[in-house]
Amino acid sequence: MNGMLVLEDGTVFPGESVGAEGFACGEAVFTTAMTGYQEIVTDPSFSEQLICFTAPMVGNYGVDPTRSESARPHARAVLMREARGPQWTDWLVASGVVALTGVDTRSLVLKLRDAGAMRAVVCSGDTAVDEALALAQSLEPMGGKALAGKVSTKEPYLFSDAGVVRVAVIDYGCKRSILRRLARAGAAVTVYPHDVDADELTAYDGVLLSNGPGDPEPLEAETETVRALLGRVPVFGICLGHQLVARAAGFSTSKLPFGHRGANHPVLHCETKRVLVTAQNHGFCVDASEAPEVTYVSLYDGTVEGLSLQDVNARSVQFHPEAGPGPHDAWPLIEDWVSELAA
């Protein structure tokens, strides 16, 4: 079945449908990760996005239920130069994900790099270009979207009851890899909804603020909750959690032109000058700053990749230390935090 991607500026990229029938609307973005395609599609941080893989072949090593980062796919569509299957493509169909192969992904990535992430529609089957274009142009932009509530758990749940410390995780779109690494590091883990009251969490040894999709700026209630936690309980923020810590501490955030998505992003540890190669997935950032609280910066654009607020016992990183999958340079960060809580 034929298919196509239609960007909001009218650019059309044809392809062949290898996923679910129908159409998908969202923000077209790209990731430079060469592995982890199943983890990426099931990562809640990709909510309302259409993913273009820069890797030339996707699906080579199949799928496995244990690799999924959540109970279902959150990316709305997948765009590939060459899809390998049948296990991967069968999974896309069964999961209801619209997907195209045969797309000129090189040209598409160059387009998104130069023009920025764009509203778009992916269609499988016969759809008129002008209809798809009108739909793409009618979509709300990602800037200003509060999406954490759409992907967060509705009720608290216990992930792990064994550990030397008790950690509460606020779920803004949490990856399972984060929960697994916390438990492996020795934490008993309980997960709470995005709108949990700060007073419920102060009895824990620490609170981890998870990753998640969308713009941190409209998350005013969530930011106030983080502000209410600072100084009362140790806090560790990851990705969107990092941005909320930053906003609670007075730093500013903004939308990146095309985001940081991939498993090869270098960040500089300001104190040791060591460079970590990291996994990242975000379209918004903490703006560059010379503040002494800054611990990591992006070597791509200088944006703030880490904070340490020592007076309130809080830290955060923009990248993914759980790296599920990805480079393992940052793996010790979660273990070190849990060890400090237990000390």
Side-chain angles (χ1 to χ4, degrees), residues 156-160 166-170 179 188-192 201 204:
Y157 66 90
L158 183 67
F159 179 81
S160 171
R166 297 172 63 244
V167 170
V169 175
I170 304 183
L179 304 180
V189 181
T190 304
V191 183
Y192 285 86
L201 307 181
Y204 284 86

Side-chain angles (χ1 to χ4, degrees), residues 33-36 39 61 69 175 177 262-264 277-280 320-331:
M34 297 182 68
T35 61
E39 290 90 335
Y61 55 85
E69 291 290 357
K175 295 171 62 180
S177 292
N264 55 356
V277 179
T278 65
Q280 304 204 9
H320 284 268
E322 82 288 347
H328 298 162
D329 291 10
W331 257 11

Side-chain angles (χ1 to χ4, degrees), residues 149-182:
K150 295 183 178 181
V151 297
S152 175
T153 182
K154 303 305 178 186
E155 299 291 338
Y157 66 90
L158 183 67
F159 179 81
S160 171
D161 60 358
V164 295
V165 296
R166 297 172 63 244
V167 170
V169 175
I170 304 183
D171 177 15
Y172 306 118
C174 188
K175 295 171 62 180
R176 287 174 175 168
S177 292
I178 293 176
L179 304 180
R180 288 194 291 263
R181 291 211 65 80
L182 279 171

